[in-house]
Amino acid sequence: MREIGHFIGGKEVAGASGRTADVYQPMTGEVIAKVALASKGELRAAVENAAAAQPAWAATNPQRRARVMMRFLDLVNREMESLADLLAREHGKTIPDAKGDIQRGVEVVEFACGIPHLMKGEYTEGAGPGIDIYSMRQALGVVAGITPFNFPAMIPMWKFAPAIACGNAFILKPSERDPGVPMRLAELMIEAGLPAGILNVVNGDKEAVDAILDDPDIRAVGFVGSSAIAEYVYSRAAATGKRAQCFGGAKNHMIVMPDADMDQAVDALIGAGYGSAGERCMAVSVAVPVGKRAADTLMDKLIPRVEGLKIGPSTDPVADFGPLVTKQHLQKVRDYVELGVREGANLVVDGRDFKMQGYEDGFYMGGCLFDEVRPEMRIYKEEIFGPVLSVVRAKDYDEALRLPSEHEYGNGVAIFTRDGDAARDFAAKVNVGMVGVNVPIPVPIAYYTFGGWKRSGFGDLNQHGPDAIRFYTKTKTVTSRWPSGVKEGSEFVIPTMQ
Ligand code: NAD
């Protein structure tokens, strides 16, 4: 059985707490590894190591730091096949989808390669007599990232690539459910030339997270996961004076206007609703057709497509999606479907009893589709995070705009329409952080920022793009006056620009 320890000081070290967690292979249901769960003391050792290495890394010129990221890109691309295989085995998503997970992380590493430009400060000559002002961005020191199971390559890279490029040392606490890829990425960063101690992976559970939150030498924490934990991390990090950005759960709606191309809308719903078994924070979990005709047409086209979804093991090259991540999560999703039936929603496709031949112990379920879901139902209010799509019929555009705007989550939303006026109005008014127009999963590309609103995001600065540079640096502003600009005598009145 493979034992996964921690990655501290440039190498893998065995766990010393005596506590471990099982890592499953969801496609077969087997335990394929045991991952160490760090104690407070082990986390502290990683922080001390990182703090010792960080000043020299921050003093390394930004172009050299960028070159490490460039070599890392080459190595990730070289290892794409084996990384995707490992990712699919621990997570359950299909290999092509696993490659997408890695690629979306790679794109943020590419963005971070621009760090010499991105970290430039500002300069004003002659702001007053003999006075010049400039600002500079400096690394924070040691920072940490706590990441979820569902993107074990992408989200760690979203966190550590900009942070490290800015000159910080990084402590990554990945999900204990699929820690293999984050550990391998850390090894590749060392192979790319990153000094030991700058990227550390501390595996663990709540104990490690709390140790991060309470550690006085960690200056910032980036979290991605469920909303209750995001809120907890945000407030506990703030209590110890840390900068925090914490991203949570979602309930992403896709509005289908009567003039939309229904075939395109159905294609989009199938991919965005059921891809990765619905275990994406940007999955579409609510479809909102506007008007009875649009709703009936949509359902007629959607039902056979959901019934025809191809579920398979992660290694099946033609499967639409694979198993869910754990047996407990599978049970939770099944329970939600049962709840929806009890709440009175119309379960028009029931995939709960799907069995994968030859993989009977894997964590599979088929696609489920609910019609006539109403906003007061729990299956509408809560995040299910499985291959379950709810259809809420809206009578008009105003109602369709209100639904995602009033939902407690506000991660992503989409509108499908040919009407530019409606699309423009929707994008301007909807109370959600990321909007797609005829794009079902509007994950902004690396040089824009990613972040949800309301209970999908706690904190002000988003992930990747310019916000990532702001989050992982602090700004220092220098006001300088040369002797030629100094007037005689002391000034007792606050200086102004009058
Ligand atoms: P999770 O909240 O269970 O775990 C996230 C991280 O928190 C993990 O590293 C885990 O070890 C840690 N953790 C778990 N319980 C904890 C506790 N009680 N105290 C402290 N730390 C704890 O989330 P998950 O199941 O791994 O991931 C799925 C969730 O993540 C979904 O809600 C999904 O919407 C969300 N997500 C959000 C985004 C986004 O950008 N908004 C992106 C991906 C996933």
Side-chain angles (χ1 to χ4, degrees), residues 146-150 155 173-177 204 206 209 223-226 229 247-250 281 383 385 411 450 456 463:
I146 301 159
T147 55
F149 82 85
N150 69 325
I155 297 180
K173 206 305 282 171
S175 172
E176 59 276 44
R177 292 184 237 172
K206 181 170 165 52
V209 170
F223 173 91
V224 180
S226 51
I229 316 275
F247 299 95
C281 68
E383 183 182 47
F385 223 54
N411 213 36
F450 178 108
S456 295
Q463 308 186 84

Side-chain angles (χ1 to χ4, degrees), residues 295-353:
D296 291 344
T297 314
L298 189 75
M299 290 313 290
D300 284 349
K301 290 178 184 277
L302 205 48
I303 290 169
R305 293 288 299 276
V306 178
E307 285 170 340
L309 282 166
K310 185 163 174 0
I311 296 115
S314 316
T315 44
D316 177 348
V318 295
D320 294 324
F321 64 87
L324 279 82
V325 67
T326 56
K327 198 172 190 166
Q328 289 81 349
H329 187 57
L330 173 65
Q331 192 53 49
K332 183 178 154 194
V333 176
R334 282 203 183 123
D335 290 348
Y336 266 116
V337 178
E338 174 63 33
L339 173 71
V341 173
R342 282 205 313 275
E343 287 182 307
N346 182 7
L347 183 62
V348 290
V349 183
D350 183 356
R352 276 176 294 176
D353 292 330

Side-chain angles (χ1 to χ4, degrees), residues 251-257 269 284-292 294-296 298-299 302 345-346 369-381 389-396 399-404 407:
K251 200 78 180 177
N252 306 312
H253 295 53
M254 185 173 128
I255 314 303
V256 183
M257 295 293 283
L269 279 171
V284 171
S285 48
V286 182
V288 185
V290 176
K292 184 170 177 351
D296 291 344
L298 189 75
M299 290 313 290
L302 205 48
N346 182 7
L369 178 64
F370 277 113
D371 195 2
E372 292 157 70
V373 173
R374 290 188 311 278
E376 63 276 13
M377 295 178 179
R378 272 183 58 203
I379 59 159
Y380 174 75
K381 291 184 183 160
L389 180 65
S390 295
V391 176
V392 179
R393 293 168 175 243
K395 64 177 184 314
D396 55 23
E399 188 184 349
L401 171 64
R402 233 179 8 252
L403 283 164
H407 202 283

Side-chain angles (χ1 to χ4, degrees), residues 236-248:
R236 190 153 170 172
T240 51
K242 295 182 190 8
R243 193 176 279 187
Q245 52 169 206
C246 301
F247 299 95

